[in-house]
Amino acid sequence: MKTFAILMNPATLGELKRLLPGTRFLPHAALEFLLRKNLPFKIIKLKKITSPQGESICGYLIIWPVLKETIASLDKESIKEKIIEAGLLAGRLGARMMGTNGSYGLSAQDLTTIARKIKIPFTSGESLLSWSFFESLFLAAQDNNLKLKDTSIVIIGANSTLGMLCARKLASYALNIILADTDGEKLNAFKETLMVQRTQENEQSTITVISTDELPQKGAHADIFIPISNAACEQLTHINLKPQSIICAVADCQYLETLTALLKDITVIKGGIIKMPPSIDLGIDLGLPDNLINATFAEPILLAFEGKTGIFSLGEATNINRLEDIADIAVQYGFEICNSLK
C-alpha cells in the first residue's frame, strides 16, 4: 500500500495536547519545561485513507514536539538535522513520500540537501498552500465585486516562500503588487524577477517594494492584504484599512479573531484550508471541523494517491506550474479549497 509521512509541529500548547493525549492533564508550565528537553519524535498512525476512486493509502504523523515559534529561533543546521532525522524515520516506517509543514525558513539549497539525504520523495507542501490562497482571494474578490486586474495587493512578508509564490501567481492578474518586508535587498532582487514575468504576461501591472514600517503610509489604500506571519497580522490591527478590503491570512494566525472583531467592514479569510471528500476520515483531531485540513497536510496525501515520485514543492524554488498541477490532482480526488470567511 502507498504510504506517506508528514512532519508536524504544534503551533500552540493546546494543539500539542490535542495531538498527544498523554499531555492533556499537564499544566502549561510543566509542558513548557518538557519542551525544552529536546523530546523525541512522537509517531501517530493515521487510519487507512481511501479515495473516492477506491484507492487506499496509509500515513503517519511524525510529531516534532517543539512549538513553531521556538523553531524560528533555532539555527538552520539544527533544523536541517531534525528534518533529515524525521525523513529517515519516515523511510523506516515504509513511507514513499514525506511532507513538511512548509519550508521552515530554509533555502531551496537546504531543502534539496534534505531531500537527497532522506532518500524518499519530499514536498514542503507549499504548492497547494499557495494555490489555496490564490483561489480563496479570487472567490472573495468575486463576492466583493472586485476584479483582480483592477486591484492593489499588499503581501506582508513577501520574502517568505508563501509570499514569493503568491506574488509570482498574482503578478499575472493584479493591477498593483506591493511587496513589504524587512530585507530590502532580497526584496528588490525578487522584484526584478517579477518584473520580467509582468512584462511577459501583464504589462499594465506595477510592482512596488516597501519596508514594513512604511505600510501605514504606502499600503493602507490597497484592496487585498496577504499577511504571511503573526507579526504581519498584528501590524494590520494598527492600520486604517479602507472599507471592503480583503485580508487572507494563514489559518493558524493568532490575530485572526482580533482582526475579525476590529474590522467589521473587512472580509477576513482563513487561507490554506482544504475540504476533503466526506468519505475520508483521518481518525485524528487536527483542530478543524470534520473533513477540513491544512493545505500543507493535504499535499502529501494527494501526491501519495497519485503515486508521485521525486521532489514536488521545494520552498521558494518551487516551479510555479506546480500550483496548477496540484490543483488538478486535488480536483481529481475531490479535494476543494475551503473559502473560510469571517
Side-chain angles (χ1 to χ4, degrees), residues 47 70 105-106 120 137 143 180 209 224 240 252 325:
K47 284 185 177 180
T70 303
L106 298 176
I120 59 174
L137 285 174
D143 290 342
V209 168
I224 295 172
N240 186 25
D252 60 1
D325 293 342

Side-chain angles (χ1 to χ4, degrees), residues 16 145 180 198 210 223-224 226 239 306 315 324 326 328-329:
L16 178 63
N145 296 316
R198 181 208 65 172
I210 64 173
D223 306 289
I224 295 172
I226 306 176
I239 298 176
E306 193 71 357
E324 299 286 347
I326 196 65
D328 290 342
I329 296 171

